Amino acid sequence: MSDSLTDVRTRVPAGVPAPPRKPDGTKPSEARKPALAPPATVPVSRSGVQRRRRLGPGRSVPFGRLLGPVLVVALWWAASAAGYLDPRILSGPGAVVSTAGELIADGRLQGNVLVSLQRAGLGLLLGVASGVLLAVVAGLSRTGEYLVDGPLQIKRAIPSLAMLPLLILWLGIGEQMKITVIALGVAVIVYINTYASLTSIDSRHVELAEVLELRRRQFLRKVVLPGSLPGFFVGLRLGVTSSWLGLIVVEQVNATSGIGYMMFQAQQYAQSDVIIVGLVAYGTFGFASDALVRAVERRALSWRRTLAG
């Protein structure tokens, strides 16, 4: 039956010439189908499981962030040992370590470090608290936004150090002025990042909270807090750095103690090794404080999956 149907379909009517055929036996009207491209090869492991190509930065290595500082110290040490560095301009690592040991032995370094940590800690605490409070007021209320955001945006354009003469006139040259300068710089940074994170919360989440008839406290805890934490931690990390930057300046304004005061006195006597000890102390505390904030951030935002891991 199938042979007869095929014969009927392929039969040519009488009087109609059959179409010419090519040497390979195909008709000209029979268009050849384009050949399909071969499938892309996927890497396969020895066990036969397909391996997925990684596009991210890869896995993190414990204490991997110490690689950069260690490399810098190694290059510094090599340049000093080869005689490329003038000890009068930049002391070598050996001289710096020896000077640090002497400063620790007579108690100068510990006393100055404790004073600097107290100033930076108080300024950071006041600045973070003020920045978060102002961001919440401006981010959750139109009236608060109109009253708070404008002045703080103006303050952001004015460096805190530019206000130093006015703050000295108002508060004198004591500890109150130094802590206020640090707190102002931290507060603006924390406010900007927290406010930006608050105002970028998806409006659909707010509408869902309204539909569920959440109370104000529940809305703050379940919607506002998770949505603002990423921006807050960015502002906190920048605020920690700002506190150390402000500390360096204020400790050179009629100070009698602190790491900055120690460095300023060493500069007058051309003691580059003491200056480098102070810089190393600033850098060590800055690196350690940033690492601490990172650890808290990973713990608080463990629900996120980012490239940082």
Side-chain angles (χ1 to χ4, degrees), residues 69-108:
V70 169
L71 180 61
V72 171
V73 173
L75 293 176
W76 175 28
W77 202 304
S80 177
Y84 293 113
L85 299 179
D86 188 353
R88 296 172 297 178
I89 299 177
L90 182 60
S91 301
V96 172
V97 172
S98 176
T99 302
E102 296 175 0
L103 293 174
I104 293 174
D106 60 18
R108 291 173 55 194

Side-chain angles (χ1 to χ4, degrees), residues 73 138 146 156 176:
V73 173
Y146 299 152
R156 184 178 62 148
Q176 189 176 2

Side-chain angles (χ1 to χ4, degrees), residues 141-153:
S141 171
R142 288 297 180 188
T143 303
E145 180 183 8
Y146 299 152
L147 294 177
V148 172
D149 188 62
L152 283 175
Q153 294 296 340

Side-chain angles (χ1 to χ4, degrees), residues 126-136 152 186-188 190-192 194-195:
L126 293 176
V128 170
S130 303
V132 170
L133 179 61
L134 293 172
V136 171
L152 283 175
V186 173
V188 174
V190 173
Y191 167 81
I192 294 298
T194 307
Y195 173 75

